[in-house]
Amino acid sequence: GSIISIATYSLIDSSSIYQWLFVLSIPLLATNVFKTFNYKQPIELMPELGKLSIATLVFSILFLAGELMFQYI
């Protein structure tokens, strides 16, 4: 959901390649999604929560960096 929303925003407001930096984090997020579907027991998801939070943080930082670079470079 968030990737589609930010990609749509970037398409509408696309003026710089820097606005697409967040795309670099998509493999991290996709890896978490695929691993999540392979687990059968909810307790198995506990180790993935930390990885998911790191991937989300990277996604957010890359989006912010792209927007700041677009505005100031």
Side-chain angles (χ1 to χ4, degrees), residues 2-3 22 24-33 48-62:
S2 63
I3 295 172
F22 69 90
L24 297 174
S25 67
I26 290 176
L28 291 172
L29 295 168
T31 302
N32 285 322
V33 169
E48 293 301 315
L49 289 174
K51 296 174 189 174
L52 179 61
S53 65
I54 298 278
T56 304
L57 179 65
V58 169
F59 178 78
S60 300
I61 289 173
L62 286 174

Side-chain angles (χ1 to χ4, degrees), residues 3-20:
I3 295 172
I4 293 170
S5 298
I6 291 181
T8 303
Y9 169 77
S10 294
L11 279 172
I12 293 171
D13 191 42
S14 185
S15 299
S16 171
I17 192 72
Y18 296 122
Q19 289 179 293
W20 293 94

